[in-house]
Amino acid sequence: MPHPTPVQIAYGSATVIFTTLLLMLVVPTGSTVALVLIALVALALGVVVALAAQCRRDAGVAAGGEPSAMSAPSYEAAAAAPAPAPAVAPAQRPEVSV
């Protein structure tokens, strides 16, 4: 299972924090049950947002064949592929007049 990227962690954390603050302002939190439900909803939404960022990254790689700007470069693939030989033009001798 791949580890979450820093972008996923940032999106998920920001979603949890902002959702919790917003729900605490909107919903009356007079009981512990309401606070627990708000925390669970915010956590679930944060996980969904983090997974959506992963799916969007994977879709960018699959659609274009090239990794998008959000994905990490694949060093294994680069190391496995041989580098193409440089094209060398044939050497030309300068014309010498005697």
Side-chain angles (χ1 to χ4, degrees):
M1 183 169 164
H3 295 285
T5 63
V7 172
Q8 289 176 295
I9 293 171
Y11 282 168
S13 299
T15 302
V16 170
I17 291 169
F18 289 127
T19 303
T20 303
L21 291 176
L22 182 70
L23 286 175
M24 287 178 71
L25 289 173
V26 174
V27 177
T29 54
S31 68
T32 306
V33 174
L35 289 174
V36 169
L37 287 176
I38 287 173
L40 289 175
V41 167
L43 186 61
L45 188 59
V47 168
V48 168
V49 168
L51 290 177
Q54 173 70 29
C55 292
R56 190 170 65 201
R57 187 189 81 167
D58 290 344
V61 172
E66 293 286 325
S68 65
M70 291 178 52
S71 64
S74 175
Y75 295 109
E76 293 83 15
V88 178
Q92 294 181 356
R93 295 183 138 177
E95 296 288 327
V96 179
S97 57
V98 180

